[in-house]
């Protein structure tokens, strides 16, 4: 029942880094490929990707088949969007653009059954299609899901301690692109002022003993190293489309350079 969530929580407690990739393309083979190649989780992006609910479930199932964790980012902090995804039994859920502790509490309430939350009872794949008896399922359900919120607005930074104190929250995930935009520096994710803000976030999390992670773009070696040095334990590194782009560009450049060198030698 606990699947990958328990394993990831244990790694977070030890300060061990968990690495994953983002899936924006709807073919579940993408998630399966990520898993087979060693990613410890796949970030199934239903916020920016063209995902229908059946697509999301197919990716969750593909992650399970490849022995990797399924982490679904829903489109908004809305219990109506969270409910059907939770019934599919993902290993984690991410709520984007959380700005206040009240919004974080709303997100956590959507994940938990009464009296802790407001989640309606209707598990489907989450209880293995009825293989798990209701009592067995309910006793383990809170531990079987990683509950995460994204810090991607300056408002969240200003009240971060209160957000971190919200019951049920396992992890915050920093989104540098939108966070920089909220400070009027869109696209300037490595500006010295933003680096100071990231440091502040990390310091607050470590002081309160709360794990934190980050979502990064393609080939951001500087960002990867900086966040590892800060103590991030959850890292989403680039996405399927960018991996395809980078691989295509690398191959094309190699072929064209070789053809050019042959011509020059003749």
């Amino acid at each position: 029942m606990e699947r990958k969530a328990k394993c990831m929580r244990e790694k977070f407690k030890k300060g061990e880094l968990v690495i994953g990739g983002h899936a924006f393309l709807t073919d579940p083979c993408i998630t399966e490929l990520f898993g087979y190649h060693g990613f410890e989780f796949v970030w199934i992006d239903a916020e920016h990707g063209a995902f229908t609910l059946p697509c999301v479930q197919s990716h969750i199932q593909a992650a399970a088949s490849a022995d990797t964790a399924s982490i679904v980012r829903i489109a908004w902090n809305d219990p109506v969007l969270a409910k059907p995804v939770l019934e599919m039994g993902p290993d984690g859920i991410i709520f984007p653009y959380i700005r206040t502790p009240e919004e974080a509490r709303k997100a956590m309430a959507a994940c938990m059954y009464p009296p802790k939350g407001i989640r309606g009872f209707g598990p489907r794949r989450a209880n293995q299609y009825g293989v798990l008896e209701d009592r067995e399922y309910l006793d383990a359900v809170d531990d079987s899901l990683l509950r995460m919120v994204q810090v991607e607005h300056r408002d969240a930074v200003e009240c971060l301690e209160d957000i971190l104190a919200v019951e049920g929250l396992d992890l915050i995930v920093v989104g540098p692109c939108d966070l920089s935009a909220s400070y009027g520096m869109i696209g300037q994710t490595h500006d010295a002022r933003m680096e100071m803000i990231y440091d502040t976030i990390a310091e607050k999390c470590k002081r309160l003993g709360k794990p934190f992670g980050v979502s990064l773009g393609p080939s951001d070696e500087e960002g990867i190293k900086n966040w590892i040095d800060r103590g991030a334990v959850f890292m989403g590194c680039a996405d399927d489309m960018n991996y395809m782009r980078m691989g295509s560009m690398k191959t094309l450049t190699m072929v064209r350079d070789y053809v050019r060198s042959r011509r020059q030698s003749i």
Side-chain angles (χ1 to χ4, degrees), residues 37-212:
H37 281 278
F39 280 117
E40 295 169 90
F41 70 86
V42 180
W43 177 308
I44 302 163
D45 201 284
E47 180 184 13
H48 294 294
F51 283 90
T52 61
L53 288 174
C55 283
V56 171
Q57 178 157 290
S58 294
H59 277 260
I60 292 170
Q61 292 170 320
S65 76
D67 197 30
T68 189
S70 54
I71 308 294
V72 181
R73 177 166 69 173
I74 60 175
W76 196 245
N77 182 19
D78 186 339
V80 173
L81 297 177
K83 185 186 298 184
V85 170
L86 294 172
E87 311 303 16
M88 299 174 193
D91 298 296
I93 186 168
I94 300 175
F95 294 83
Y97 212 69
I98 297 300
R99 299 171 63 175
T100 67
E102 290 76 23
E103 290 179 357
R105 280 191 284 271
K106 176 183 176 182
M108 296 304 101
C111 297
M112 295 184 284
Y113 294 112
K116 293 181 179 179
I118 61 168
R119 180 179 173 185
F121 190 81
R124 295 297 182 261
R125 184 177 177 275
N127 69 348
Q128 300 175 11
Y129 307 106
V131 169
L132 297 177
E133 296 291 339
D134 287 351
R135 189 68 268 156
E136 181 183 5
Y137 168 73
L138 288 169
D139 286 344
V141 65
D142 287 346
D143 291 332
S144 71
L145 179 75
L146 287 170
R147 296 170 293 272
M148 314 181 205
V149 302
Q150 276 203 274
V151 171
E152 44 190 348
H153 193 278
R154 62 188 302 168
D155 290 350
V157 178
E158 293 171 5
C159 62
L160 185 59
E161 293 92 340
D162 293 330
I163 290 175
L164 293 170
V166 170
E167 183 179 359
L169 178 62
D170 289 303
L171 190 82
I172 65 156
V173 182
V174 178
C177 290
D178 284 333
L179 185 58
S180 65
S182 75
Y183 283 95
M185 294 183 283
I186 188 169
Q188 302 175 59
T189 57
H190 290 302
D191 185 280
R193 292 166 292 179
M194 290 308 305
E195 296 290 351
M196 291 178 63
I197 292 165
Y198 306 150
D199 289 342
T200 297
I201 292 171
E203 289 165 4
K204 289 181 178 180
C205 289
K206 286 188 283 191
R207 187 174 69 248
L208 295 174
K210 298 292 186 178
F212 61 96

Side-chain angles (χ1 to χ4, degrees), residues 7-8 10-20 38 40-41 212-214 216 224-225 227-237:
C7 178
M8 293 174 73
E10 290 174 351
K11 288 190 173 185
F12 297 159
K13 290 178 181 178
K14 297 176 183 177
E16 297 178 7
L17 180 64
V18 176
I19 307 169
E40 295 169 90
F41 70 86
F212 61 96
V214 64
L216 297 171
I224 290 170
K225 293 174 182 177
W227 280 101
I228 289 174
D229 290 343
R230 289 186 182 101
V233 294
F234 178 94
M235 185 172 289
C237 298

